[in-house]
Every structure is written in C-alpha cells, then in structure tokens.
Amino acid sequence: MERELHILIQAMRSAGQKALDLAGDGIAVQTKSDHSPVTTADLAVDRLIHEVIARHFPDDGWLSEERPDAMDRLTKKRVWILDPIDGTRAFIKNIPQFCISAALVEDGDPVVGAILNPSTDEWFTAIRGEGIRLLAEDGGAGEPSGADDLPLVLVNPWELRHGRLSALSRQARCRPVGSIAYALATVAAGRADATIMLDGGSEWDVAAGTLLIEESGGTVTDAHGKRVRFNRPDPRLHGTIATGRGVPDTLRTALLALAASPDLKAGTP
C-alpha cells in the first residue's frame, strides 16, 4: 500500500496548494440541495485528485462528496473515498480548521488514509497495520488533557452553540472544530481526548479519520456505538464518536449516553 499512499499524498499536495491559490484569488460559493455550501475550490480539489487516482488505479471505485455517486462502486473490492474540503464553512471564513480527507477502502475497511490541513501544512497518514504517521509544525486544534484536567472533546460548532452538548460540561472541556475529519486527526495525533458529532455526516467525512484513530489505538463508532463499515449503498452516517488511546471508558460511556439521550432536540446546521 506504500505506492497507493505515495500517489495519494502527491495528489493531495497539489490539490491543497490549488485550494489555497483559489482562496487567495477569491472563490465562488453556491448552496447545495442540503443547504450546505460548496465552493469552486471544493470542485477543483475533487477534480484534481480524481484525475490522478483514476489514472493510476483505473479499476478502483470512487465515492466523493462533490461528485455524482457511481453505484458501480458497490461491485468493487477497492474504493477511494474523498472529501475534497471538509469544513467548507471554515474554509470560506479563512479559519484554519478545514482539510482534505481521503481513504482507500478495501472490503469495507479503510486500508490507506490521509488528511491534510493545507493552511497549516499538517499531514496525518496511515496504512492499515502500520500505525499513524504525522508531519505537523504545531499543536493544531488542541492539547490532550493532563491528569488534573477534564478531558478535551472536539465538537461540532453548531451543536455546541445550540446547547446540545451541555450535559458534558461537568465531564469534559468542549472545543469547537469546523471539520470532523480534522477533529478525528487531532484525536489520533494525541492532541485531544475525543470527538463527537451527534447527527449526520457521511462516509467521506470519517473514512480516513477512522483509520487514523484505529491505527493510533483509539476507537471510532457511530452515535449508536456501532463500528462503521464503508462503501455502503447509502453513505450517510448517524453521527460519530471517537476516543483516543488510553482514554477512560467512562468518557466513551458518557459520550454514548449523550448521543442516546431522548432530551436532545433534533436539528441540523
């Protein structure tokens, strides 16, 4: 899988620079049918990475947030899953919490994964069974809790702003991060203890981050506590809960209990 990771990194490196160049020149923003934003940079990154992967691995399947779903992927043993820019709202606001997230999935499990934050030049990569690899200049989105501190949990800004995480206030410090993929990478790198997204998400948001977390010794499930399998007919998820290596089971139990609470108000950003 070293070849696959090398080619993916080269494609993402070019795509990351393309996104930054477009941001500097000025990007056009549109609203998709689900009311989420998409920019010309999202589309350019998708196009660039898809062209590279398709050229080198023409027989593999493809699933991307910004491309019509080619359902023949369900017949493929290997499928590439891409979120061209996870955290588009942060990208639009020039907040350095967006990233490019890509994974190669084989028989439902991610086997190669890479997350790049172009604005900070942070790289998080992994190959199944070989551990996580990091290249970063700073502490990123947070620092893990010390012995006397409450655990640090990275959360969805909308869910925090609307009080959906208030039950965690006595058990954890909640810090908003604009990208679930970047939050997963940050937990995998040991800079935070956990991350939770109560609702929504799709396979492209978490495929690479799931591999990073698992290769660093942590655990990822949906909000119901079930391990996610990838390349399903419906790529939508039911939330995400991830905890890092060595995090007490009590924190994971608290996060699962929060996700299962009947008092939560439904809604999406």
Side-chain angles (χ1 to χ4, degrees):
M1 295 294 173
E2 288 288 349
R3 175 172 177 261
E4 283 85 347
L5 180 59
H6 175 75
I7 290 171
L8 178 60
I9 287 173
Q10 296 306 309
M12 289 175 64
R13 192 185 306 279
S14 297
Q17 187 58 56
K18 180 70 171 178
L20 294 179
D21 291 344
L22 288 171
D25 294 338
I27 53 174
V29 182
Q30 295 181 328
T31 301
K32 296 189 288 187
S33 59
D34 63 358
H35 306 295
S36 65
V38 62
T39 73
T40 46
D42 293 79
L43 301 177
V45 168
D46 177 271
R47 185 166 52 251
L48 192 159
I49 295 178
H50 179 265
E51 288 175 354
V52 172
I53 295 300
R55 183 167 66 250
H56 288 279
F57 308 105
D59 296 328
D60 291 352
W62 187 263
L63 175 64
S64 168
E65 180 177 14
E66 308 303 349
R67 187 173 289 264
D69 193 354
M71 298 306 292
D72 66 339
R73 64 181 171 80
L74 299 175
T75 68
K76 306 286 188 177
K77 179 181 178 66
R78 299 186 0 151
V79 177
W80 295 85
I81 300 180
L82 171 70
D83 193 339
I85 296 181
D86 188 59
T88 299
R89 290 181 176 88
F91 175 69
I92 293 169
K93 296 176 182 178
N94 200 30
I95 300 171
Q97 292 180 352
F98 61 90
C99 62
I100 301 171
S101 178
L104 171 62
V105 167
E106 192 171 273
D107 293 328
D109 285 319
V111 294
V112 173
I115 291 177
L116 165 65
N117 183 331
S119 61
T120 59
D121 199 29
E122 294 170 280
W123 283 93
F124 310 81
T125 66
I127 294 174
R128 175 72 66 182
E130 297 185 13
I132 186 174
R133 310 175 191 182
L134 307 173
L135 178 60
E137 297 298 326
D138 55 36
E143 293 295 340
S145 58
D148 299 324
D149 296 326
L150 291 175
L152 175 60
V153 180
L154 306 180
V155 301
N156 177 283
W158 184 90
E159 293 178 342
L160 181 64
R161 190 166 60 249
H162 286 76
R164 305 191 75 203
L165 304 165
S166 57
L168 287 178
S169 60
R170 294 185 179 181
Q171 298 165 294
R173 294 174 291 141
C174 291
R175 180 173 297 167
V177 173
S179 159
I180 182 61
Y182 188 43
L184 288 166
T186 301
V187 173
R191 302 181 198 151
D193 297 290
T195 185
I196 182 170
M197 180 171 62
L198 292 171
D199 286 325
S202 297
E203 291 186 17
W204 46 75
D205 297 310
V206 305
T210 293
L211 179 61
L212 294 172
I213 291 279
E214 292 180 345
E215 285 300 302
S216 66
T219 302
V220 182
T221 67
D222 66 14
H224 303 301
K226 298 179 181 179
R227 186 172 182 268
V228 179
R229 298 282 292 175
F230 294 90
N231 192 34
R232 299 165 305 150
D234 184 353
R236 292 175 297 179
L237 302 177
H238 302 288
T240 301
I241 295 175
T243 50
R245 180 179 60 186
V247 171
D249 289 340
T250 52
L251 176 58
R252 182 165 187 83
T253 299
L255 296 173
L256 286 167
L258 173 64
S261 172
D263 297 329
L264 286 178
K265 295 179 180 179
T268 54

